[in-house]
Amino acid sequence: MKNFKFLLMLFALTGAMVTWTGCDDDGDNEPEPTCTDGIQNGDETGIDCGGTCDPCEVGIQGQWQSSGANVAPLLVNLFGTDSIYAEFRTDLTYTVEQYDTSGALLTLEGTYEQTESGTADIWDITVNQSAPAALTSVGIFEINGTTMRYEIVQTAPDIGAVPPTAAGGFGSTNGGALGNLNIQTYEKIE
């Protein structure tokens, strides 16, 4: 019986020893941070962005679409615009694909600058188009959740249009003469 108790004790100690040496006490039980794990960890400055990951999207950055009643009436009346797909990248370049009612595609490309205006949640934007023709447009935008209001006019070459301002608010193109005709509404593409 004494040998049985000794063997039982030896067996228990061996089991405890195996269990104890198998535990990892250095706190590294969590998976390594990645840029696709949906968690702000590692050196990220946002969820899966910043640091060694891709830059975080700010302001207008991301992919947007506008169609139907969301297309600015001015674009519908002047150009027969049916829908617009826009991508504003974190490297400050953009591509806009604009389709007319016949399905014809016009692709616009260039660079942009955006700054917070200090008026409500409205941002200022300057778009420097390089293709299909070089021109500059100035305007404003505001994002509320996944919806963006956007109003912009060409300033160079000069076509006599006065850009909207954050202080004037949406509908302030040409001092308000166009009302809501030049306001575009976009939905974020997730």
Side-chain angles (χ1 to χ4, degrees):
M1 183 62 126
K2 193 174 187 183
N3 284 340
F4 180 72
K5 285 183 182 180
F6 177 74
L7 280 172
L8 193 56
M9 178 99 111
L10 186 59
F11 180 71
L13 284 173
T14 303
M17 190 71 145
V18 168
T19 303
W20 181 70
T21 57
C23 289
D24 184 5
D25 285 337
D26 64 4
D28 288 339
N29 292 335
E30 298 202 16
E32 289 291 317
T34 69
C35 296
T36 58
D37 57 14
I39 303 168
Q40 183 176 344
N41 51 14
D43 68 346
E44 300 165 24
T45 57
I47 295 174
D48 292 338
C49 64
T52 54
C53 300
D54 290 337
C56 296
E57 292 180 349
V58 175
I60 200 169
Q61 295 169 349
Q63 295 180 345
W64 301 89
Q65 75 86 25
S66 180
S67 60
N70 285 340
V71 177
L74 190 63
L75 294 177
V76 172
N77 294 333
L78 291 178
F79 306 109
T81 303
D82 175 72
S83 58
I84 301 172
Y85 299 89
E87 180 177 9
F88 291 88
R89 294 178 281 280
T90 57
D91 67 358
L92 303 180
T93 63
Y94 75 91
T95 301
V96 171
E97 295 178 338
Q98 183 171 314
Y99 293 87
D100 69 15
T101 54
S102 72
L105 169 65
L106 174 63
T107 302
L108 313 170
E109 297 178 311
T111 61
Y112 68 95
E113 300 168 14
Q114 62 177 352
T115 56
E116 293 183 74
S117 70
T119 301
D121 292 327
I122 299 174
W123 291 59
D124 296 313
I125 187 165
T126 300
V127 174
N128 297 299
Q129 182 179 300
S130 57
L135 60 88
T136 300
S137 297
V138 174
I140 57 176
F141 69 90
E142 178 180 45
I143 299 170
N144 184 2
T146 58
T147 302
M148 173 175 63
R149 289 192 305 164
Y150 182 86
E151 184 175 3
I152 194 166
V153 297
Q154 179 179 322
T155 57
D158 187 2
I159 60 170
V162 178
T165 64
F170 288 91
S172 64
T173 295
N174 289 348
L178 297 178
N180 293 332
L181 293 177
N182 194 35
I183 300 173
Q184 184 80 15
T185 301
Y186 286 92
E187 296 295 329
K188 184 105 180 203
I189 300 172
E190 298 295 328

